[in-house]
Tab-separated table of all heavy atoms in Angstrom:
chain	number	residue	atom	x	y	z
E	254	TYR	N	60.526	111.393	137.908
E	254	TYR	CA	60.148	110.433	138.953
E	254	TYR	C	59.677	111.176	140.202
E	254	TYR	O	58.691	110.782	140.842
E	254	TYR	CB	61.345	109.534	139.281
E	254	TYR	CG	61.019	108.334	140.149
E	254	TYR	CD1	60.240	107.289	139.656
E	254	TYR	CD2	61.508	108.231	141.438
E	254	TYR	CE1	59.953	106.176	140.431
E	254	TYR	CE2	61.232	107.121	142.223
E	254	TYR	CZ	60.453	106.090	141.715
E	254	TYR	OH	60.168	104.992	142.499
E	258	ASN	N	55.723	111.365	141.811
E	258	ASN	CA	55.450	110.935	143.181
E	258	ASN	C	55.250	112.098	144.153
E	258	ASN	O	55.351	111.918	145.374
E	258	ASN	CB	56.574	110.025	143.672
E	258	ASN	CG	56.577	108.679	142.973
E	258	ASN	OD1	55.694	107.858	143.194
E	258	ASN	ND2	57.552	108.465	142.100
E	305	VAL	N	71.689	99.916	148.341
E	305	VAL	CA	70.458	99.741	149.124
E	305	VAL	C	69.494	100.901	148.864
E	305	VAL	O	68.270	100.707	148.767
E	305	VAL	CB	70.792	99.628	150.618
E	305	VAL	CG1	69.521	99.621	151.461
E	305	VAL	CG2	71.597	98.354	150.889
E	306	SER	N	70.013	102.110	148.707
E	306	SER	CA	69.165	103.283	148.466
E	306	SER	C	68.436	103.185	147.135
E	306	SER	O	67.268	103.579	147.023
E	306	SER	CB	70.006	104.563	148.521
E	306	SER	OG	70.528	104.773	149.813
E	307	PHE	N	69.106	102.676	146.096
E	307	PHE	CA	68.433	102.484	144.805
E	307	PHE	C	67.240	101.534	144.960
E	307	PHE	O	66.151	101.783	144.424
E	307	PHE	CB	69.411	101.922	143.771
E	307	PHE	CG	70.091	102.970	142.934
E	307	PHE	CD1	71.449	103.193	143.048
E	307	PHE	CD2	69.367	103.729	142.022
E	307	PHE	CE1	72.079	104.154	142.277
E	307	PHE	CE2	69.985	104.691	141.240
E	307	PHE	CZ	71.345	104.907	141.371
E	308	ILE	N	67.456	100.459	145.690
E	308	ILE	CA	66.379	99.486	145.888
E	308	ILE	C	65.228	100.115	146.664
E	308	ILE	O	64.047	99.937	146.314
E	308	ILE	CB	66.933	98.244	146.612
E	308	ILE	CG1	67.943	97.518	145.711
E	308	ILE	CG2	65.798	97.298	147.016
E	308	ILE	CD1	68.713	96.413	146.395
E	309	LEU	N	65.550	100.867	147.710
E	309	LEU	CA	64.508	101.495	148.518
E	309	LEU	C	63.750	102.570	147.743
E	309	LEU	O	62.551	102.766	147.960
E	309	LEU	CB	65.123	102.091	149.786
E	309	LEU	CG	65.655	101.075	150.815
E	309	LEU	CD1	66.305	101.799	151.996
E	309	LEU	CD2	64.533	100.167	151.301
E	310	MET	N	64.436	103.272	146.824
E	310	MET	CA	63.742	104.277	146.010
E	310	MET	C	62.687	103.648	145.113
E	310	MET	O	61.692	104.295	144.757
E	310	MET	CB	64.738	105.061	145.150
E	310	MET	CG	65.486	106.141	145.906
E	310	MET	SD	66.435	107.229	144.817
E	310	MET	CE	65.137	108.260	144.141
E	311	ALA	N	62.888	102.385	144.736
E	311	ALA	CA	61.900	101.687	143.919
E	311	ALA	C	60.725	101.202	144.746
E	311	ALA	O	59.617	101.043	144.222
E	311	ALA	CB	62.566	100.497	143.227
E	312	ILE	N	60.963	101.005	146.058
E	312	ILE	CA	59.932	100.417	146.923
E	312	ILE	C	59.161	101.479	147.698
E	312	ILE	O	57.934	101.432	147.805
E	312	ILE	CB	60.578	99.410	147.903
E	312	ILE	CG1	61.245	98.269	147.111
E	312	ILE	CG2	59.548	98.862	148.885
E	312	ILE	CD1	62.079	97.347	147.960
E	313	ILE	N	59.889	102.458	148.244
E	313	ILE	CA	59.277	103.497	149.084
E	313	ILE	C	59.215	104.790	148.279
E	313	ILE	O	60.236	105.437	148.059
E	313	ILE	CB	60.093	103.712	150.376
E	313	ILE	CG1	60.284	102.390	151.117
E	313	ILE	CG2	59.399	104.731	151.279
E	313	ILE	CD1	61.210	102.485	152.311
E	314	VAL	N	58.026	105.173	147.847
E	314	VAL	CA	57.900	106.323	146.951
E	314	VAL	C	57.306	107.553	147.649
E	314	VAL	O	56.909	108.503	146.976
E	314	VAL	CB	57.053	105.962	145.713
E	314	VAL	CG1	57.759	104.918	144.870
E	314	VAL	CG2	55.666	105.486	146.130
E	319	LEU	N	62.014	109.627	149.347
E	319	LEU	CA	62.733	109.845	148.090
E	319	LEU	C	63.771	110.950	148.238
E	319	LEU	O	64.911	110.819	147.761
E	319	LEU	CB	61.743	110.205	146.979
E	319	LEU	CG	60.807	109.091	146.506
E	319	LEU	CD1	59.850	109.620	145.441
E	319	LEU	CD2	61.592	107.904	145.972
E	322	LEU	N	66.697	109.594	150.546
E	322	LEU	CA	67.523	108.595	149.868
E	322	LEU	C	68.386	109.230	148.783
E	322	LEU	O	69.557	108.872	148.609
E	322	LEU	CB	66.631	107.502	149.266
E	322	LEU	CG	65.933	106.579	150.277
E	322	LEU	CD1	64.884	105.721	149.574
E	322	LEU	CD2	66.947	105.706	151.001
E	381	VAL	N	60.815	103.061	135.494
E	381	VAL	CA	61.951	103.537	136.292
E	381	VAL	C	62.180	102.675	137.526
E	381	VAL	O	63.325	102.405	137.901
E	381	VAL	CB	61.728	105.004	136.712
E	381	VAL	CG1	62.856	105.483	137.629
E	381	VAL	CG2	61.650	105.908	135.478
E	382	GLN	N	61.121	102.202	138.169
E	382	GLN	CA	61.285	101.455	139.410
E	382	GLN	C	62.070	100.162	139.197
E	382	GLN	O	62.958	99.825	139.995
E	382	GLN	CB	59.925	101.153	140.038
E	382	GLN	CG	59.267	102.391	140.659
E	382	GLN	CD	57.869	102.109	141.161
E	382	GLN	OE1	56.981	101.786	140.379
E	382	GLN	NE2	57.670	102.208	142.461
E	383	ILE	N	61.773	99.448	138.130
E	383	ILE	CA	62.518	98.219	137.840
E	383	ILE	C	63.968	98.552	137.501
E	383	ILE	O	64.899	97.808	137.852
E	383	ILE	CB	61.865	97.437	136.681
E	383	ILE	CG1	60.420	97.073	137.042
E	383	ILE	CG2	62.662	96.168	136.371
E	383	ILE	CD1	60.286	96.220	138.288
E	384	ALA	N	64.192	99.692	136.838
E	384	ALA	CA	65.561	100.127	136.538
E	384	ALA	C	66.329	100.430	137.827
E	384	ALA	O	67.519	100.101	137.950
E	384	ALA	CB	65.539	101.354	135.633
E	385	PHE	N	65.668	101.064	138.796
E	385	PHE	CA	66.303	101.310	140.089
E	385	PHE	C	66.694	99.993	140.769
E	385	PHE	O	67.793	99.866	141.319
E	385	PHE	CB	65.351	102.090	141.001
E	385	PHE	CG	65.306	103.564	140.737
E	385	PHE	CD1	64.227	104.326	141.184
E	385	PHE	CD2	66.315	104.212	140.059
E	385	PHE	CE1	64.172	105.689	140.949
E	385	PHE	CE2	66.271	105.587	139.814
E	385	PHE	CZ	65.193	106.323	140.263
E	386	LEU	N	65.788	99.014	140.751
E	386	LEU	CA	66.087	97.713	141.353
E	386	LEU	C	67.278	97.047	140.663
E	386	LEU	O	68.162	96.489	141.317
E	386	LEU	CB	64.864	96.805	141.269
E	386	LEU	CG	63.681	97.141	142.180
E	386	LEU	CD1	62.480	96.261	141.844
E	386	LEU	CD2	64.053	96.982	143.647
E	387	THR	N	67.317	97.143	139.336
E	387	THR	CA	68.417	96.558	138.570
E	387	THR	C	69.752	97.191	138.957
E	387	THR	O	70.743	96.490	139.201
E	387	THR	CB	68.176	96.730	137.059
E	387	THR	OG1	66.923	96.142	136.709
E	387	THR	CG2	69.291	96.086	136.255
Side-chain angles (χ1 to χ4, degrees):
Y254 191 68
N258 290 290
V305 173
S306 295
F307 267 113
I308 294 171
L309 291 177
M310 281 190 77
I312 299 171
I313 306 173
V314 295
L319 291 178
L322 291 169
V381 176
Q382 287 175 296
I383 301 301
F385 280 161
L386 288 172
T387 303

